[in-house]
Amino acid sequence: GESYAQLLGRVLPALRRMVCGGGEGECCLAVAHSAVIKAVLCQLYGVPFSQIIHRFPLKNAHIVRVSGEKILTLCEGETYVNS
């Protein structure tokens, strides 16, 4: 299966394209499985993937709001290694 680091290698560039593609002040919507959302949140807040279930107990159809600036900052490093 795909590791969280591999998942982020696919997902974060796509999120960045979404954020960069909109005009100033515009919003975008990304719909994803909870594993994708949890992996992005782990990387964003520096939480080890080993704590993913306990730190981010998302329910089905859970809504998570993240600012575009945070996604762009997260994408700049292009390093998705998290233990």
Side-chain angles (χ1 to χ4, degrees), residues 3-80:
S3 71
Y4 288 120
Q6 291 169 325
L7 181 144
L8 290 173
R10 287 186 307 107
V11 170
L12 291 180
L15 286 175
R16 183 175 190 177
R17 286 191 301 274
M18 288 176 65
V19 171
C20 290
E24 187 174 329
E26 290 187 15
C27 294
C28 64
L29 172 69
V31 179
H33 290 277
S34 65
V36 173
I37 297 167
K38 290 175 184 182
V40 170
L41 291 174
C42 279
Q43 193 70 20
L44 189 64
Y45 295 107
V47 174
F49 292 139
S50 61
Q51 297 178 14
I52 198 169
I53 294 171
H54 303 293
R55 290 293 298 272
F56 304 109
L58 302 179
K59 298 176 182 176
N60 289 336
H62 201 102
I63 297 172
V64 177
R65 185 176 182 168
V66 178
S67 75
E69 291 89 18
K70 286 185 180 181
I71 293 297
L72 291 176
T73 301
L74 181 60
C75 294
E76 286 175 359
E78 300 292 326
T79 302
Y80 314 119

